[in-house]
Amino acid sequence: MSMPKPFNIALAGLGTVGGGTAHILLEKATWLAERCGRALRIVAWSDLEGHGKRDDCDLSSVPWFEDAAEMAAQAPADAVVELIGGVEGMAKQVCETALAHGRHVVTANKALLAHHGLALAEAAEEKGVCLAFEAAIAGGIPIVKSLREGLVANRCRHVVGILNGTCNYILTDMAKTGRPFSDILKESQELGYAEADPSFDIDGIDTAHKLALLAALAFGHRVDFDSVHIEGIAAITPTDITHAEELGFQIKLLGIAKEYDGRVEQRVHPCLVPQSSDIARVAGVENGIQVQGDKVGPTFYQGAGAGGLATGSAVVADLADLARGLRRPAFSLPVAALKPLIPAPISQRRGAAYLRFMARDEPGVVARIAQCLSERNISMETVLQHGQKDQSGSVPVIIVTHQCQETDLYVALETTAAIPEMTEKPLMIRIESFDDSQAS
Amino acid sequence: MSMPKPFNIALAGLGTVGGGTAHILLEKATWLAERCGRALRIVAWSDLEGHGKRDDCDLSSVPWFEDAAEMAAQAPADAVVELIGGVEGMAKQVCETALAHGRHVVTANKALLAHHGLALAEAAEEKGVCLAFEAAIAGGIPIVKSLREGLVANRCRHVVGILNGTCNYILTDMAKTGRPFSDILKESQELGYAEADPSFDIDGIDTAHKLALLAALAFGHRVDFDSVHIEGIAAITPTDITHAEELGFQIKLLGIAKEYDGRVEQRVHPCLVPQSSDIARVAGVENGIQVQGDKVGPTFYQGAGAGGLATGSAVVADLADLARGLRRPAFSLPVAALKPLIPAPISQRRGAAYLRFMARDEPGVVARIAQCLSERNISMETVLQHGQKDQSGSVPVIIVTHQCQETDLYVALETTAAIPEMTEKPLMIRIESFDDSQAS
């Protein structure tokens, strides 16, 4: 029996992930052919900077295109892999061109998908090809496949994840070393772990891109990045981390998506999570995701969220699926069947919170804060005031609230900010316990 | 556009998992049809005891067969779901008959697959149909799909898992309550968590069945249940658990499969694992699996390992894949391409161990034990002797060794057993750290 014809791949972008993908495809050619029943063959590549020769792979004998969009149109490829990055520009053009020419698209580009995923999925459906993006979320962890296929029997109640390795690395290192945010960020940039412009990571935007995709997959609605509430981690201080630990918590930047009463809540912000929770243990650059299914209960997935080989592993998994003939709508359902998302605004949240006030160490401050909180029916579970003055002579007053309304917190924080002894804007970090997910 | 014809399912066995499966298929009929592009329809069922009517589902209007094998032959089914259980007899006959008639088989029967999986996979290949078994390993966790598809780019170095919820529940409860093994087992049996004949669970056989399947999937070799080294948990006492915790460990029953030097080590036995490890945190009836891939690094999967709905969720995932046209060899590769497994015997293991000696509290006992160990080049890292006498007047002497040869441990334990003060056979529990999996 002769082997079926090869599955031809055009590779746009030969950076970290592109290089990792090419490396795996070349090194594992026989391995993959055995498992797919046909060869996975790189037939063209495009990269502005490279010459197709890197330490980890050599594409110098494979046809090169200066223009990636031209490659997407002309190369004899079954699938085009887009690893250029960016929301608009060449990345988008490559995907659109490939789909228009009836080629599958595999991409790791969460920003592009969060903004244009639906349009691309529709373009793919029109041509009867696939848009695949396992690599766009949580690197090498097969979370897209798990949500779309492995948990297909489940209506998801929530998806909660640590989805950005840079933020998790910074928070983990702050907890370990006690160094301030800015020092660790600067070091990470020097070491190449964090981008020169780190705002996508530390402001929570990258997490929000991924969360919007996860939520669409989990709940079967249209991707709606614009309704994601987004806060970053830049305001977190070593003081917060120390106090959180004293209270039995870790601070993590989470993406949280919940569906209830026909609405979907999507939010990205720092959280205090119990030290005993699975998510608290995800350290360093790792990612971790908890999915609450109505039939299977909670399942948890953890692993490398970034890196050329880990992310390349996910790109190759998508290519292998396509080579074996797997055909799937990009977001679990055909675009026409996806429900419009009705957002549940974060202002409707009810939950506990950690509040940190910086105030001059004078009598009556705690009483004044307590008064502001009680006016909004916010009751205090714990008050910590250890009296370590900082350089400005301020001391932190830490309050953990009982469950309360988000909007009451906003008002109370406004009124406390007006207390004369207050030396900084108060900081609020939400406490999330995922108690509903403990029972399986 | 008219919907394609339904995907027809015949259900053999309507116990816990069968009932859960039927419940999901009926409750989620629309949901699943939307996601699969066609209806998943139960067209026949067979169960010796039921009348097709349970609290969670009603099949009384669906054709019933007294003989499940007859159903597998005659019902107009695309797939036959085997949830009868057992290594031989009707379960095997149902699968063989269904495959012979060109129907897909979906099963949760790890015992059957561990013994006859290759023959069944071959029979499926001959007819161009599939043998699917997501539900056979770790209940609702999509680990089979992750290994076979999500991690296809990876050569696995090891797979390590807590694969039996009953054992993990007993060990977790021993740690929490300090009660002895036999009490908790008896209570679990009364509550229906443990089987009336619990030996498959507590002797490690169920874990070994699952491990043999995981290893075949992970390493691409023929299922080889006979070469799995198996030890159960019945010898573990609360004393061991307390001492393990004092030393920074939890005791877990693990299935461990590693490939190195072209050989595969498969073993099931209690282990001391660091309290800081992911696997140590898998509590109660949950399952957890760590996979070490050469490209993605370590990934970790956790969730419900048993229960009608959780396991039914996995059965339905397999059915949905088949309904959508997914076709896969059962063990990642066609049977003819699976390598024969060359076992690496456990006697070649090199590692640390926890040793518990019960001895009369007389001077010189530790010195005599130490002498026996040193004769085999086993050096001691820690010695604990807290002197709590048990009813027989014996005290436990706990020794943690440095890395040593498994065979040296065997000899040393033989010689220590002959020390006159020894009142019980010494117990050895291997220490496993998975250090190689920490770096990603």
Side-chain angles (χ1 to χ4, degrees):
Chain A
M1 206 175 79
S2 68
M3 219 182 220
K5 66 184 175 58
F7 185 79
N8 290 335
I9 298 160
L11 197 53
L14 212 61
T16 306
V17 178
T21 301
H23 172 75
I24 294 173
L25 288 170
L26 297 175
E27 183 197 300
K28 296 269 175 96
T30 309
W31 173 277
L32 291 165
E34 278 181 351
R35 278 155 182 79
C36 299
R38 60 199 289 201
L40 302 186
R41 190 174 64 171
I42 305 175
V43 295
W45 64 279
S46 174
D47 188 80
L48 286 181
E49 298 183 23
H51 305 278
K53 207 159 184 174
R54 298 164 42 108
D55 288 347
D56 53 358
C57 65
D58 183 356
L59 292 180
S60 53
S61 64
V62 177
W64 168 80
F65 282 77
E66 183 168 7
D67 181 327
E70 195 189 312
M71 176 182 76
Q74 295 180 3
D78 297 296
V80 174
V81 179
E82 184 278 301
L83 299 169
I84 297 169
V87 175
E88 308 290 341
M90 187 49 88
K92 182 159 172 259
Q93 205 184 326
V94 162
C95 293
E96 287 170 346
T97 307
L99 295 172
H101 283 78
R103 313 190 201 281
H104 305 293
V105 166
V106 174
T107 177
N109 190 334
K110 50 268 177 182
L112 174 69
L113 293 167
H115 290 278
H116 305 297
L118 286 178
L120 292 172
E122 261 177 337
E125 282 173 25
E126 269 166 35
K127 291 287 183 175
V129 293
C130 290
L131 171 67
F133 54 91
E134 183 65 77
I137 308 169
I141 306 171
I143 187 63
V144 173
K145 180 173 278 289
S146 294
L147 278 173
R148 197 167 45 184
E149 302 165 30
L151 304 182
V152 66
N154 292 267
R155 180 181 287 279
C156 289
R157 288 177 178 150
H158 74 232
V159 183
V160 172
I162 292 175
L163 301 170
N164 182 279
T166 304
C167 286
N168 205 52
Y169 173 79
I170 292 173
L171 291 171
T172 304
D173 204 46
M174 283 174 80
K176 207 159 56 181
T177 65
R179 291 192 300 157
F181 173 80
S182 52
D183 283 16
I184 300 170
L185 174 60
K186 191 154 164 266
E187 188 188 270
S188 304
Q189 287 171 303
E190 285 163 7
L191 292 168
Y193 301 154
E195 304 289 330
D197 174 5
S199 57
F200 259 44
D201 291 326
I202 65 173
D203 293 345
I205 299 164
D206 176 72
T207 299
H209 286 146
K210 295 165 179 167
L211 182 71
L213 300 174
L214 280 180
L217 286 167
F219 307 128
H221 63 60
R222 298 168 68 87
V223 183
D224 187 356
F225 174 69
D226 291 338
S227 75
V228 184
H229 173 90
I230 312 176
E231 298 171 26
I233 62 167
I236 311 284
T237 64
T239 296
D240 300 316
I241 291 187
T242 314
H243 283 102
E245 287 182 349
E246 184 180 342
L247 295 159
F249 295 96
Q250 292 279 320
I251 300 180
K252 295 291 185 188
L253 180 72
L254 298 188
I256 300 174
K258 292 187 189 182
E259 190 181 38
Y260 57 89
D261 302 340
R263 288 166 183 265
V264 176
E265 187 178 270
Q266 299 181 104
R267 48 193 168 96
V268 172
H269 53 74
C271 296
L272 266 69
V273 294
Q275 263 155 12
S276 60
S277 62
D278 295 324
I279 212 106
R281 288 188 22 76
V282 178
V285 296
E286 288 222 319
N287 282 194
I289 299 149
Q290 189 192 61
V291 180
Q292 180 74 18
D294 65 342
K295 300 304 175 197
V296 75
T299 51
F300 185 69
Y301 309 81
Q302 186 177 341
L309 289 176
T311 310
S313 163
V315 171
V316 171
D318 274 343
L319 290 169
D321 273 349
L322 292 168
R324 287 187 287 206
L326 184 71
R327 299 292 175 265
R328 289 276 184 290
F331 297 100
S332 299
L333 292 167
V335 174
L338 294 168
K339 296 169 290 184
L341 181 146
I342 306 172
I346 194 168
S347 57
Q348 291 180 5
R349 175 182 181 269
R350 193 177 160 76
Y354 160 103
L355 309 176
R356 186 243 299 155
F357 303 92
M358 297 301 294
R360 286 197 302 279
D361 191 11
E362 288 170 21
V365 171
V366 173
R368 282 190 195 96
I369 296 170
Q371 176 63 25
C372 295
L373 296 177
S374 79
E375 278 165 11
R376 300 307 305 182
N377 294 312
I378 299 167
S379 65
M380 302 188 294
E381 186 182 300
T382 312
V383 180
L384 297 178
Q385 191 185 12
H386 294 319
Q388 321 111 302
K389 279 186 203 173
D390 70 6
Q391 289 158 335
S392 71
S394 297
V395 293
V397 177
I398 307 297
I399 291 175
V400 172
T401 74
H402 284 287
Q403 298 259 323
C404 58
Q405 286 299 131
E406 179 92 1
T407 44
D408 286 327
L409 279 170
Y410 297 162
V411 177
L413 289 178
E414 284 287 319
T415 54
T416 54
I419 294 172
E421 290 84 357
M422 219 52 84
T423 56
E424 272 181 37
K425 210 169 153 248
L427 178 78
M428 184 262 285
I429 310 178
R430 298 173 189 86
I431 300 178
E432 298 286 338
S433 64
F434 318 113
D435 276 341
D436 55 328
S437 64
Q438 299 306 311
S440 61
Chain B
M1 206 174 82
S2 68
M3 216 180 219
K5 67 184 175 56
F7 185 78
N8 290 335
I9 297 160
L11 198 53
L14 211 61
T16 307
V17 178
T21 301
H23 172 75
I24 295 172
L25 288 171
L26 297 176
E27 183 197 300
K28 297 269 176 96
T30 310
W31 173 277
L32 291 166
E34 279 181 353
R35 280 156 181 76
C36 299
R38 60 198 291 200
L40 302 186
R41 191 173 63 171
I42 304 176
V43 295
W45 63 279
S46 174
D47 189 79
L48 287 181
E49 298 183 22
H51 305 279
K53 208 160 183 171
R54 299 163 42 108
D55 289 348
D56 54 357
C57 66
D58 182 356
L59 291 180
S60 53
S61 64
V62 176
W64 170 79
F65 283 77
E66 183 169 5
D67 182 327
E70 195 187 312
M71 177 182 76
Q74 294 180 2
D78 297 298
V80 174
V81 179
E82 185 279 302
L83 299 169
I84 298 168
V87 176
E88 308 289 342
M90 186 50 86
K92 183 160 172 254
Q93 206 185 324
V94 163
C95 293
E96 287 170 346
T97 307
L99 295 172
H101 284 78
R103 311 189 202 282
H104 305 293
V105 166
V106 175
T107 178
N109 190 335
K110 50 268 178 184
L112 173 69
L113 292 167
H115 289 279
H116 305 297
L118 285 178
L120 292 172
E122 261 177 337
E125 282 172 26
E126 269 168 33
K127 291 287 183 173
V129 292
C130 290
L131 171 67
F133 55 89
E134 183 65 77
I137 307 168
I141 307 170
I143 187 64
V144 173
K145 182 173 277 289
S146 294
L147 278 173
R148 198 167 43 185
E149 301 164 31
L151 304 183
V152 65
N154 292 267
R155 179 181 289 276
C156 289
R157 288 176 178 152
H158 75 234
V159 183
V160 172
I162 292 176
L163 302 170
N164 182 280
T166 303
C167 286
N168 205 51
Y169 173 80
I170 292 173
L171 291 171
T172 305
D173 205 45
M174 284 174 79
K176 206 157 59 181
T177 65
R179 292 192 299 159
F181 173 79
S182 53
D183 283 16
I184 300 170
L185 174 60
K186 191 154 165 267
E187 187 188 271
S188 304
Q189 287 172 306
E190 284 162 9
L191 292 169
Y193 300 154
E195 305 288 332
D197 174 6
S199 56
F200 259 44
D201 291 326
I202 65 172
D203 293 345
I205 299 164
D206 177 72
T207 299
H209 286 145
K210 294 164 179 167
L211 182 72
L213 300 174
L214 280 180
L217 285 167
F219 306 128
H221 62 61
R222 300 168 68 86
V223 184
D224 187 355
F225 174 71
D226 291 337
S227 75
V228 184
H229 173 90
I230 312 175
E231 299 173 26
I233 63 167
I236 311 284
T237 64
T239 295
D240 298 316
I241 293 188
T242 314
H243 282 103
E245 287 183 350
E246 184 181 343
L247 294 160
F249 295 96
Q250 292 278 321
I251 300 182
K252 297 289 184 189
L253 180 72
L254 298 188
I256 300 173
K258 291 187 189 181
E259 191 181 38
Y260 56 88
D261 303 340
R263 290 166 183 264
V264 177
E265 186 178 271
Q266 298 180 105
R267 48 193 168 97
V268 173
H269 54 73
C271 295
L272 266 68
V273 294
Q275 262 154 13
S276 60
S277 62
D278 295 324
I279 212 108
R281 289 191 19 79
V282 178
V285 296
E286 289 221 319
N287 282 193
I289 299 149
Q290 188 193 64
V291 181
Q292 180 74 18
D294 65 343
K295 300 303 175 196
V296 74
T299 52
F300 185 70
Y301 309 81
Q302 186 177 342
L309 290 176
T311 311
S313 163
V315 172
V316 171
D318 274 344
L319 290 168
D321 273 349
L322 292 168
R324 288 187 286 206
L326 184 71
R327 299 291 176 266
R328 288 276 185 289
F331 297 100
S332 299
L333 292 168
V335 173
L338 294 169
K339 294 169 290 184
L341 182 146
I342 306 171
I346 194 166
S347 57
Q348 291 181 3
R349 175 182 181 270
R350 190 175 165 78
Y354 160 103
L355 308 176
R356 186 243 300 154
F357 304 92
M358 297 300 293
R360 287 196 302 279
D361 191 11
E362 287 170 21
V365 170
V366 172
R368 281 190 196 95
I369 296 170
Q371 176 63 25
C372 294
L373 296 178
S374 78
E375 279 166 9
R376 300 306 306 182
N377 293 314
I378 299 166
S379 65
M380 302 188 295
E381 184 180 302
T382 313
V383 181
L384 297 178
Q385 191 185 15
H386 294 321
Q388 322 108 303
K389 278 185 202 173
D390 69 6
Q391 289 157 336
S392 70
S394 297
V395 292
V397 176
I398 308 296
I399 291 174
V400 171
T401 75
H402 283 288
Q403 298 258 326
C404 58
Q405 285 299 131
E406 179 91 3
T407 42
D408 286 325
L409 280 170
Y410 296 161
V411 177
L413 288 179
E414 284 286 321
T415 52
T416 54
I419 295 172
E421 291 84 356
M422 220 50 87
T423 56
E424 271 182 37
K425 208 168 154 246
L427 178 78
M428 183 264 283
I429 310 178
R430 297 172 188 88
I431 299 177
E432 297 287 336
S433 64
F434 317 116
D435 276 341
D436 54 328
S437 64
Q438 300 305 312
S440 59

